[in-house]
Amino acid sequence: MTTQFDVAVIGLGAMGSAALAFLSARGIRAIGIDAYFPAHALSSSHGDSRLIRMGYFEDPSYVPLLQRAYRNWRSLEARLRTDVLTITGVLQIGAPDSKIVRGTRASCEMHGLPHDVLDKADMAARFPAFQVDDGEIAVLDPQGGYLRPETAVMGYLKLAAADGAVLHFGERVSAIEPDDGGVTIQSAAGRYRARKVIVATGSWIAELVPQLKTHAVPIRQVVAWYQPRNGFATEPQRMPCFLRDEGPDGSYFGFPAIGTDGVKVGRHAHFREPIDPNRPNPPVNDTDTDLLDRFIAKRVPAAGQRVNATTCRYTMLPSEDFLLDLLPGNRNVVVASPCSGHGFKFTSVVGEILADLALDGGTALPTAAFSFDAMDRFIAA
Ligand SMILES: Cc1cc2nc3c(=O)[nH]c(=O)nc-3n(C[C@H](O)[C@H](O)[C@H](O)COP(=O)(O)OP(=O)(O)OC[C@H]3O[C@@H](n4cnc5c(N)ncnc54)[C@H](O)[C@@H]3O)c2cc1C
């Protein structure tokens, strides 16, 4: 017998878990299915911390969505009665005309966001954990901080379950078959029918959305943790989260020593090595750790010695933007891209957008830049 739902969400990482919670809050009959247990080590939504910042260097057009995301994170915390978002400020450091510094200032100025511009002397006085070159500056976004990814994913799943969602873990969906009346979902354990399906399968997205085969590219990411020599300089109360623009050497992100974990650092997109999502993440090697050790020794020497390193995965689209849209040719399928390595902070608004797309066929939130059309235009340009 085929079980019938209003909406099925395939993939319960960041995007799928939030979508399921927003759907269930609207009182519909929803099912969420994940091949593993969510926030697992092969997903992109584990690892204790994710940056959030308001002055978005990538493009000022993200700011209205971030404002909504912050509001939704605080609502999630209120419903869960636990902390998900911690404000530390985020420093964006580099040459004044570097992409990150220039872009952050532009976003802050366009949207009237509070920010401080600090020179080398200001940085030495206020944030001695960082080494800054002559002529470099830092833009402090006081609304920035970090999120707890596992708490958020599990929290959204708990809310969804409390609102009546059916949750299936350890069940891989092998096919979705859309037709005019809805979608048939096939897994090893069963067959389901839903009016709409949301595909939020992260680095596996192209398996169920073959239109993304050449566009959604899973790549290897590496992060490492360092134990501070000076236990005070790297505390979250004294050291903000940071982004550092190193020009041709790319950009690095990092967190203060949260709990007992030490300072965490990574280079955005690392070496951009494509990976097969169905194989284990290739292990950390000396080239990976040399890169991160050199960065820490030069830029955050107070972070001390490396104590751990691990691999994770980003899934990149050509423009490095998001894709949140109905599938062209079948409006019963909603596609949620894994967001090109910078999506976690938006999870709380992406969930709302996905629920709107599935239940209303559109959303009042500004998502025109995240459409299949926008992706095609970028590729054609
Ligand atoms: C190391 C690292 C650092 C990052 N830092 C930041 C940051 O600081 N700030 C920020 O905003 N973002 C950051 N990101 C990006 C952000 O974490 C991701 O955009 C986000 O977590 C992607 O979530 P997702 O739900 O799309 O994918 P995932 O979390 O991978 O979830 C996809 C889920 O789908 C399931 N699935 C796949 N195929 C199937 C199937 N056929 N059937 C059933 N289930 C299936 C999987 O098991 C998985 O649980 C970072 C990412 C990484 C890896």
Side-chain angles (χ1 to χ4, degrees):
M1 199 187 82
T2 306
T3 320
Q4 181 79 41
F5 294 92
D6 293 315
V7 184
V9 181
I10 317 300
L12 298 174
M15 308 309 161
S17 65
L20 193 65
F22 277 95
L23 288 165
S24 308
R26 288 177 65 174
I28 56 115
R29 187 163 160 70
I31 180 171
I33 307 174
D34 199 287
Y36 298 89
F37 193 79
H40 57 91
L42 292 178
S43 78
S44 296
S45 304
H46 70 101
D48 296 327
S49 50
R50 291 290 185 273
L51 279 174
I52 181 165
R53 52 204 155 82
M54 188 71 96
Y56 219 57
F57 80 83
E58 288 86 340
D59 199 298
S61 65
Y62 281 92
V63 172
L65 282 178
L66 281 162
Q67 288 166 331
R68 182 77 165 199
Y70 269 82
R71 197 198 73 164
N72 288 355
W73 285 122
R74 292 306 187 198
S75 307
L76 176 68
E77 289 179 317
R79 282 199 71 192
L80 295 177
R81 299 189 197 175
T82 195
D83 291 340
V84 177
L85 164 59
T86 302
I87 300 295
T88 59
V90 173
L91 284 165
Q92 343 243 346
I93 311 166
D97 63 349
S98 62
K99 186 175 175 197
I100 289 180
V101 170
R102 192 171 24 88
T104 303
R105 285 182 93 166
S107 237
C108 289
E109 281 158 16
M110 181 177 293
H111 290 281
L113 303 174
H115 63 289
D116 288 336
V117 180
L118 309 175
D119 64 14
K120 185 177 176 182
D122 299 328
M123 285 290 287
R126 285 183 63 181
F127 304 119
F130 297 98
Q131 292 290 315
V132 177
D133 289 346
D134 290 338
E136 286 188 327
I137 59 171
V139 183
L140 176 65
D141 175 349
Q143 298 184 82
Y146 66 88
L147 295 155
R148 292 286 194 184
E150 288 87 351
T151 309
V153 171
M154 294 315 298
Y156 275 128
L157 292 177
K158 283 180 199 164
L159 292 184
D163 285 336
V166 174
L167 297 174
H168 285 196
F169 300 131
E171 182 175 336
R172 184 168 206 85
V173 170
S174 51
I176 53 168
E177 292 152 14
D179 54 54
D180 289 345
V183 185
T184 302
I185 295 125
Q186 186 69 54
S187 81
R191 197 175 161 82
Y192 313 94
R193 188 80 189 146
R195 286 195 295 112
K196 308 277 176 168
V197 68
I198 296 175
V199 184
T201 49
S203 61
W204 296 266
I205 191 106
E207 291 179 0
L208 297 179
V209 186
Q211 290 86 337
L212 293 178
K213 198 134 203 91
T214 55
H215 304 322
V217 181
I219 62 169
R220 182 168 168 272
Q221 177 64 30
V222 175
V223 291
W225 286 263
Y226 295 79
Q227 276 301 344
R229 289 197 199 102
N230 171 348
F232 293 119
T234 56
E235 282 180 343
Q237 297 83 348
R238 299 169 200 242
M239 175 181 167
C241 299
F242 66 93
L243 291 183
R244 208 178 201 297
D245 194 319
E246 293 285 341
D249 187 34
S251 63
Y252 292 75
F253 57 87
F255 301 80
I258 299 166
T260 55
D261 290 343
V263 170
K264 176 176 156 187
V265 69
R267 179 165 78 166
H268 178 67
H270 200 54
F271 293 118
R272 291 186 188 268
E273 292 162 64
I275 55 164
D276 177 349
N278 286 315
R279 299 178 68 89
N281 293 334
V284 177
N285 59 45
D286 290 348
T287 311
D288 301 323
T289 48
D290 286 351
L291 177 88
L292 299 177
D293 291 354
R294 270 200 312 275
F295 173 78
I296 285 291
K298 184 174 175 194
R299 298 303 195 187
V300 201
Q305 297 298 312
R306 176 168 39 83
V307 290
N308 195 9
T310 189
T311 51
C312 189
R313 43 178 80 170
Y314 279 6
T315 303
M316 310 302 270
L317 288 180
S319 66
E320 299 201 8
D321 277 318
F322 305 165
L323 177 65
L324 307 168
D325 200 2
L326 305 174
L327 187 66
N330 199 305
R331 296 177 61 81
N332 295 328
V333 180
V334 179
V335 178
S337 79
C339 299
S340 303
H342 63 116
F344 196 89
K345 62 185 79 60
F346 295 91
T347 298
S348 60
V349 67
V350 167
E352 186 180 5
I353 290 166
L354 296 173
D356 288 350
L357 291 175
L359 297 181
D360 307 329
T363 179
L365 291 161
T367 57
F370 307 147
S371 63
F372 274 94
D373 278 353
M375 185 180 75
D376 291 344
R377 277 197 304 276
F378 181 88
I379 293 166

